[in-house]
Amino acid sequence: MPRIEEILAVERIDNDIYRGGVFPSGLRRTFGGQVAGQALISATKTVDPDFAVHSLHGYFLRPGKPDRPAVFLVDRIRDGRSFVTRRVTGVQNGEAIFSMSASFHITGDEGIDHQDSVPPAVDPATLPDEMDVDDPVKRDLFREWENFDVRIVPRDQLVTGSSFAAQQRVWFRYRDPLPDDQLLHVCTLAYMSDMTLLGSSKVPHPGVQAQTASLDHAMWFLRPFRTDDWLLYDQTSPSATGGRALTQGRIFDRAGRMVAAVTQEGLTRTNVPADQISIMKAGS
């Protein structure tokens, strides 16, 4: 697997037009986090460095082809004194595969300050690396992210709340040290945030086979962080119906600071032939 710096190193091919790289993949469609990360880094290249991204809202419109590059077209929607807005369209073969709006806020503003408490979770050092688990299907899937250390908290070690329909907690980090560049860490987290989140919707339905895919993805970046240190991804799925599941995530650093929030809706369709489900599972 290439390093995250290579994945995010989009090429400028004209004013406000960028092209992402092509990387080896065992997935049938381009990983959604890669498309989102490349779209976000393309947007940031058109924004003054005095502004930092604070939110993004993206829609996965078509499955991307991992053996072909995506081109990202950036529209400069607004340049204000405090906020900047960009819209990015990811294109393959002349068709839009991803659409994203990103908002940037001037650094240095001050205001009220509060956050939720970090939920209880066992130390990540006590959990197995998902690359080392006995399940060959899961191990093959996580090999796609071999540069990331992902550790799912087992159900018997998870402190849950009775009011939640589905809960899951995951520790993750980038395995190797990364430069002191907050923009790189933000775009890396955009990539990482698509990992495992939709899986939280499957927690109440063990053994149920479903065709899955990310449909839309929203993120809010709240405080500075590092992705090469452990981050706790507290995930819930408050509702699933009609072949779609809503999932939510709060991301905390080791100090207990809430650094980001995520909301995603995904396809969780069960009324499809088993052979189609197995094909889609490889890329889910």
Side-chain angles (χ1 to χ4, degrees):
M1 182 181 178
R3 289 183 57 83
I4 191 65
E5 298 99 311
E6 298 175 81
I7 294 173
L8 297 175
V10 296
E11 173 192 6
R12 179 184 179 276
I13 58 178
D14 207 335
N15 289 340
D16 299 343
I17 303 176
Y18 300 87
R19 179 167 52 206
V22 177
F23 307 100
S25 175
L27 303 182
R28 299 294 182 93
R29 59 178 181 264
T30 308
F31 173 55
Q34 175 178 315
V35 179
Q38 290 179 342
L40 182 58
I41 198 71
S42 299
T44 63
K45 291 182 178 296
T46 70
V47 177
D48 189 284
D50 289 340
F51 292 81
V53 61
H54 70 93
S55 70
L56 66 83
H57 299 256
Y59 286 89
F60 297 95
L61 306 175
R62 293 180 176 87
K65 296 178 174 58
D67 60 345
R68 299 181 183 179
V71 173
F72 298 93
L73 313 177
V74 182
D75 291 328
R76 302 183 183 228
I77 303 301
R78 179 175 183 267
D79 287 277
R81 289 180 296 179
S82 297
F83 290 90
V84 168
T85 305
R86 295 291 184 263
R87 183 171 58 223
V88 185
T89 305
V91 178
Q92 278 187 337
N93 296 329
E95 293 185 321
I97 64 169
F98 183 69
S99 176
M100 183 187 76
S101 294
S103 182
F104 299 77
H105 185 202
I106 192 73
T107 56
D109 261 1
E110 296 182 359
I112 62 174
D113 194 323
H114 65 260
Q115 68 160 71
D116 287 347
S117 298
V118 61
V122 297
D123 191 281
T126 66
L127 302 176
D129 187 332
E130 293 298 324
M131 288 285 292
D132 299 329
V133 298
D134 293 333
D135 185 342
V137 175
K138 182 182 286 190
R139 190 169 60 247
D140 286 345
L141 177 59
F142 280 96
R143 188 171 290 118
E144 186 76 17
W145 306 318
E146 63 184 4
N147 288 343
F148 298 88
D149 194 344
V150 181
R151 308 192 181 197
I152 299 175
V153 178
R155 300 300 300 170
D156 60 359
Q157 299 182 50
L158 187 65
V159 178
T160 61
S162 59
S163 62
F164 294 100
Q167 289 181 270
Q168 179 172 266
R169 291 194 187 108
V170 179
W171 286 102
F172 59 5
R173 65 176 176 179
Y174 194 75
R175 293 186 187 273
D176 299 321
L178 293 173
D180 295 330
D181 179 357
Q182 186 59 202
L183 174 58
L184 174 63
H185 289 277
V186 165
C187 293
T188 299
L189 188 59
Y191 180 102
M192 296 167 64
S193 65
D194 194 32
M195 296 177 180
T196 73
L197 182 56
L198 190 54
S200 65
S201 67
K202 300 179 182 179
V203 170
H205 313 282
V208 175
Q209 299 295 302
Q211 180 184 3
T212 60
S214 302
L215 297 176
D216 63 1
H217 195 84
M219 288 191 75
W220 294 263
F221 303 97
L222 308 173
R223 294 170 178 85
F225 56 88
R226 296 190 65 90
T227 48
D228 52 3
D229 196 4
W230 286 113
L231 296 170
L232 178 65
Y233 205 171
D234 179 45
Q235 304 169 346
T236 62
S237 179
S239 177
T241 189
R244 303 187 314 277
L246 179 66
T247 58
Q248 299 172 335
R250 301 178 301 167
I251 301 177
F252 298 84
D253 64 12
R254 289 297 296 270
R257 299 183 311 137
M258 187 176 176
V259 301
V262 189
T263 298
Q264 182 182 87
E265 188 177 44
L267 184 71
T268 51
R269 182 185 291 148
T270 56
N271 59 337
V272 293
D275 58 340
Q276 293 186 29
I277 289 177
S278 62
I279 290 173
M280 297 303 290
K281 277 184 66 181
S284 64

